[in-house]
């Protein structure tokens, strides 16, 4: 087709984030359940997280809208310049409509194509890979990619639910990706995997039939169910594996990548990956202490902070890596 330009570059033209104002500290959690700041920091590295208010929001769509607004301003583009919007989320405010159309309408993007992708904590990385290909192909010029979740709506803040409750926070973060005349820019390599057999280790049941084995308990319905140790083992194994696989596809060595922008699930998992590849701390940024695990918003939030701090420069290589429920895991390696 004449409008397809197979060989062209793609760049990350802007980014922006949005966080709920309310802070939930470890000290707050100590008052809500049998836990301690010491236990949480030692096992996870988390000190506080942001949480939306169940009655007053901001909703998933509102957070996503604010992040996209910031990203558009950063890219110096108007909402009507977007020709595609991809939203990574597993916590849409309603089963339908999706967050994509709601955000597009709120920003008056016109009748832009807008959709949600649910790949849990891997959602942003998967969405970025998909959006990149739509842009590289020449079919789309300016694509918004949002990672947003208000996962705390599915958290049980009692001693009964404490295993998962301490981990999660709410956030949104967005990228604008644009077609660019410089062919060298964009994805160098990507990796996406799932294993539905591992779904039982991390899921949110909505009725009794969805429980595995004899695990049913009324208190668990509509709440995050997590086998922490199984997920930990999965992450510690897959994290370095997916980095190696992606480096191999790109023909690069670990030290060739300037930033490893990783899903923030547990500081210990991140530190293990750093040690494994012998990376200096500044190459693999950890911000989980302030935000906890923000699901699909996690990776872009790290990148946005790096960019705001002036640590992202043209010519660098950046690898985004995530894993999560599904089970899902993947990476996206970019030439900036
Ligand atoms: N506060 C205090 N004690 C807690 C607790 C909490 N919030 N949560 C669990 N405990 C207790 C348990 O009841 C258990 O007590 P017991 O020994 O008397 O039975 C003990 O601490 C150890 O529990 P365990 O679940 O084995 O802890 P852990 O070392 O595996 O740490 C996680 C728990 C959740 C921090 C850890 O497993 C983890 O990070 N897993 C990965 C989760 C993840 O990344 N999920 C998102 C993927 S995208």
């Amino acid at each position: 087709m004449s409008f397809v330009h197979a060989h062209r570059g793609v760049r990350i033209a802007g980014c922006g984030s949005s966080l709920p104002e309310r802070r939930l500290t470890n000290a707050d959690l100590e008052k809500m359940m049998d836990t301690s700041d010491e236990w949480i920091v030692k096992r996870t590295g988390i000190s506080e997280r942001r949480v939306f208010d169940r009655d007053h929001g901001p909703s998933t769509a509102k957070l996503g809208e604010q992040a996209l607004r910031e990203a558009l301003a950063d890219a110096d583009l108007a909402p009507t310049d977007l020709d595609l919007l991809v939203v990574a989320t597993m916590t849409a405010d309603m089963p339908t409509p999706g967050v994509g159309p709601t955000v597009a309408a709120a920003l008056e993007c016109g009748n832009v194509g807008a959709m949600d992708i649910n790949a849990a904590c891997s959602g942003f990385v998967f969405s970025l890979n998909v959006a990149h290909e739509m842009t590289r192909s020449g079919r789309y010029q300016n694509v918004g990619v949002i990672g947003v979740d208000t996962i705390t709506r599915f958290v049980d803040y009692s001693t009964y639910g404490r295993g998962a409750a301490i981990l999660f926070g709410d956030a949104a973060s967005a990228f604008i990706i644009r077609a660019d005349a410089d062919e060298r820019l964009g994805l160098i390599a990507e990796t996406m995997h799932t294993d539905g057999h591992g779904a039982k280790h991390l899921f949110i049941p909505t009725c009794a039939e969805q429980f595995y084995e004899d695990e049913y308990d009324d208190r668990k319905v509509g709440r995050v169910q997590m086998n922490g140790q199984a997920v930990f083992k999965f992450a510690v194994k897959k994290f370095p594996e997916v980095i190696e696989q992606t480096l191999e596809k790109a023909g690069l060595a670990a030290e060739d990548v300037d930033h490893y922008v990783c899903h923030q699930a547990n500081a210990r998992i991140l530190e293990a990956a750093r040690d494994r590849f012998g990376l200096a701390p500044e190459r693999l940024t950890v911000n989980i202490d302030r935000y906890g695990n923000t699901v699909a918003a996690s990776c872009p939030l790290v990148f946005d902070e790096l960019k705001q701090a002036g640590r992202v420069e043209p010519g660098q290589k950046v690898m985004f890596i995530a894993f999560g429920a599904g089970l899902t895991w993947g990476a996206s390696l970019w030439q900036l």
Side-chain angles (χ1 to χ4, degrees), residues 35 39 43 121 162 166 226 228-229 231 263 265-266 293 323:
T35 191
W39 193 97
R43 306 271 174 138
C121 297
R162 66 182 178 174
I166 56 156
M226 185 180 73
Q229 290 193 6
V231 177
H263 174 52
N266 185 312
N293 177 344
F323 60 88

Side-chain angles (χ1 to χ4, degrees), residues 17-326:
S17 303
S18 176
L19 294 155
E21 278 177 22
R22 193 176 147 221
R23 289 185 150 81
L24 186 68
T25 65
N26 291 351
D28 295 328
L29 290 175
E30 283 175 353
K31 293 178 202 138
M32 299 159 82
M33 62 185 73
D34 181 12
T35 191
S36 70
D37 174 55
E38 191 194 353
W39 193 97
I40 301 170
V41 171
K42 193 169 162 215
R43 306 271 174 138
T44 68
I46 303 168
S47 294
E48 62 174 50
R49 55 302 277 145
R50 301 294 187 92
V51 293
F52 90 122
D53 184 299
R54 288 180 202 212
D55 296 321
H56 303 107
S59 64
T60 302
K62 194 73 196 168
L63 275 176
E65 175 195 328
Q66 287 161 350
L68 185 63
R69 202 185 292 279
E70 296 288 322
L72 282 164
D74 190 39
D76 208 15
L77 289 178
T80 45
D81 291 327
L82 287 184
D83 47 14
L84 187 68
L85 177 60
V86 185
V87 181
T89 188
M90 54 170 267
T91 53
D93 301 300
M94 293 185 261
T96 197
V99 176
T102 308
V103 170
L107 281 181
E108 297 295 351
C109 295
N111 299 126
V112 61
M115 73 198 85
D116 295 2
I117 290 182
N118 179 347
C121 297
S122 306
F124 187 83
V125 169
F126 282 23
S127 297
L128 195 57
N129 289 341
V130 170
H132 175 277
E133 293 312 299
M134 301 292 269
T135 313
R136 175 86 92 191
S137 70
R139 293 178 203 281
Y140 295 91
Q141 293 289 327
N142 301 317
V143 182
V145 187
I146 307 175
V148 57
D149 274 297
T150 54
I151 181 73
T152 64
R153 68 175 80 216
F154 297 113
V155 165
D156 171 8
Y157 287 107
S158 73
T159 297
Y160 188 69
R162 66 182 178 174
I166 56 156
L167 295 178
F168 295 105
D170 304 324
S173 193
F175 281 8
I176 306 298
I177 65 168
R178 298 196 72 179
D180 196 281
D182 187 343
E183 286 177 19
R184 292 166 302 176
L185 308 188
L187 262 187
I188 308 170
E190 55 83 21
T191 312
M192 296 194 275
H193 294 292
T194 67
D195 176 13
H197 298 294
K200 61 185 176 190
H201 298 314
L202 188 50
F203 67 109
I204 302 176
T206 57
C207 62
E209 287 69 37
Q210 293 164 347
F211 283 83
Y212 296 89
E213 290 142 16
D214 295 324
E215 295 286 320
Y216 174 74
D217 182 325
D218 207 31
R219 288 175 294 181
K220 295 180 179 175
V221 175
R223 299 286 178 236
V224 177
Q225 298 307 306
M226 185 180 73
N227 178 340
Q229 290 193 6
V231 177
F232 194 90
K233 274 187 205 149
F234 152 73
V236 164
K237 183 165 182 284
K238 292 299 177 194
F239 215 63
E241 211 173 274
V242 80
I243 293 176
E244 264 165 17
Q245 207 176 12
T246 312
L247 286 171
E248 199 177 302
K249 281 186 189 176
L252 293 173
E255 60 270 24
D256 296 330
V257 176
D258 298 280
H259 294 291
Y260 289 85
V261 175
C262 303
H263 174 52
Q264 307 282 306
N266 185 312
R268 288 189 290 150
I269 297 172
L270 297 171
E271 280 153 16
R274 261 185 193 159
D275 291 349
R276 167 83 175 265
F277 293 98
L279 302 173
E282 60 271 18
R283 290 238 193 154
L284 196 161
T285 297
V286 176
N287 69 6
I288 194 171
D289 51 320
R290 285 168 288 139
Y291 308 121
N293 177 344
T294 57
V295 190
S298 178
C299 281
L301 195 56
V302 171
F303 185 82
D304 191 22
E305 286 200 340
L306 285 172
K307 188 157 183 256
Q308 302 301 332
R311 293 175 54 198
V312 174
E313 286 166 27
Q316 288 183 334
K317 293 182 177 62
V318 178
M319 192 190 296
F320 301 90
I321 309 128
F323 60 88

